[in-house]
Amino acid sequence: MKKFIVIFFALFLAACGSNSFDLEDIGTMEISDVKLTPQTATIDHGYLNITVKWIRGDDEDSMNKASFSESGVLFFATQNEDYLEGLSDNSTRMFDDVYDATENNLYLKFKLENEEDNVEIIAKDVVDESEKSFTIELGK
């Protein structure tokens, strides 16, 4: 009976996780002096939620604090070549002041057109106009 419960629970978790995407294979992208590492993405009520680990600078002894929003890097998302509406409030953690050279998380949120077509996430430095991007394959 215990084996049945464990198997049932594992199948239940697998079914619930079908709207969850592991992004760690994308690796770390560097844009200006910011390192971005996509972690996970989930779909919830028509929104794509993305967790991105970030770190800025490399002086671990620095006492300087700044928020991600001060980095000059903005995130955009496209689906079927249309830009998606992004949510930018305190829940994204973009406005939290953090010490240089410490890992932090961003919680990006974009309103999807649909839950089947791929979404391209673009990180763009508005100062030097460089950009990096990655694709989340929703229909997988």
Side-chain angles (χ1 to χ4, degrees), residues 5-132:
I5 292 172
V6 170
I7 291 171
F8 178 76
F9 186 67
L11 290 174
F12 176 76
L13 288 177
C16 290
S18 62
N19 283 338
S20 180
F21 307 89
D22 181 4
L23 304 178
E24 291 185 18
D25 288 345
I26 294 170
T28 299
M29 305 177 296
E30 195 162 345
I31 186 164
S32 297
D33 65 341
V34 180
K35 293 178 185 168
L36 304 165
T37 308
Q39 300 293 298
T40 60
T42 58
I43 297 174
D44 185 31
H45 296 93
Y47 283 89
L48 180 64
N49 302 300
I50 307 163
T51 302
V52 177
K53 183 172 32 173
W54 71 280
I55 188 168
R56 185 174 177 188
D58 56 9
D59 183 0
E60 294 177 6
D61 295 327
S62 173
M63 295 305 291
N64 292 332
K65 277 186 152 184
S67 67
F68 183 84
S69 63
E70 296 174 72
S71 71
V73 176
L74 298 177
F75 285 94
F76 302 94
T78 62
Q79 188 176 37
N80 297 320
E81 299 183 17
D82 293 327
Y83 281 92
L84 300 179
E85 176 185 345
L87 177 72
S88 185
D89 62 14
N90 287 337
S91 69
T92 62
R93 309 284 306 263
M94 286 189 178
F95 308 104
D96 295 357
D97 283 337
V98 295
Y99 288 106
D100 287 353
T102 58
E103 288 184 351
N104 302 279
N105 284 331
L106 293 175
Y107 302 98
L108 309 174
K109 190 171 188 174
F110 297 97
K111 183 165 180 46
L112 294 170
E113 290 181 352
N114 64 67
E115 296 183 9
E116 291 83 35
D117 295 328
N118 295 346
V119 175
E120 182 179 19
I121 306 299
I122 304 156
K124 184 171 186 167
D125 185 322
V126 295
V127 175
D128 68 13
E129 297 187 11
S130 62
E131 65 181 49
K132 302 285 182 169

